[in-house]
Amino acid sequence: LADAIQIASIIGYKKIVLVGVDLGSRGHFFDNNYSNQFHKTLPWISSALKLWRDDLIARDISVEIYNPNSMLNNILQVYDKKSFKNNRD
């Protein structure tokens, strides 16, 4: 995740939306052993995002989460789905 955010910022993306990074469980949606325990990387990712936030804001880069139920919703803004524009028209 950290690498994806860094690469996106380096190549010039100004809005990075994290999809599928809910971190509310240790399993995956397709697993039979879905667990309600938060993902083991949550503490590290939370700390890293708090440290990077000011730097990203200074470079006019926003990192947002797609799922409002994500464990990161107290650190990152939730993406406004209404703002999505279909550029294929």
Side-chain angles (χ1 to χ4, degrees):
L1 179 63
D3 291 340
I5 294 170
Q6 289 291 29
I7 290 169
S9 67
I10 289 168
I11 62 176
Y13 283 93
K14 293 296 183 182
K15 180 177 280 201
I16 302 165
V17 180
L18 305 179
V19 178
V21 186
D22 304 335
L23 304 176
S25 73
R26 292 185 180 206
H28 299 94
F29 70 92
F30 52 81
D31 284 341
N32 290 331
N33 298 328
Y34 198 77
S35 167
N36 287 331
Q37 294 179 322
F38 66 83
H39 197 273
K40 63 184 176 185
T41 61
L42 178 61
W44 182 88
I45 290 173
S46 296
S47 296
L49 287 171
K50 286 176 187 175
L51 290 172
W52 299 340
R53 186 174 36 204
D54 292 338
D55 176 60
L56 292 168
I57 290 170
R59 295 188 292 149
D60 196 29
I61 298 170
S62 68
V63 179
E64 302 174 8
I65 53 170
Y66 188 80
N67 184 346
N69 298 319
S70 170
M71 299 298 282
L72 299 174
N73 68 4
N74 62 337
I75 299 169
L76 300 176
Q77 181 177 339
V78 176
Y79 175 68
D80 179 13
K81 297 169 187 78
K82 295 176 192 165
S83 70
F84 178 77
K85 287 174 34 177
N86 184 352
N87 293 323
R88 293 173 40 160
D89 296 334

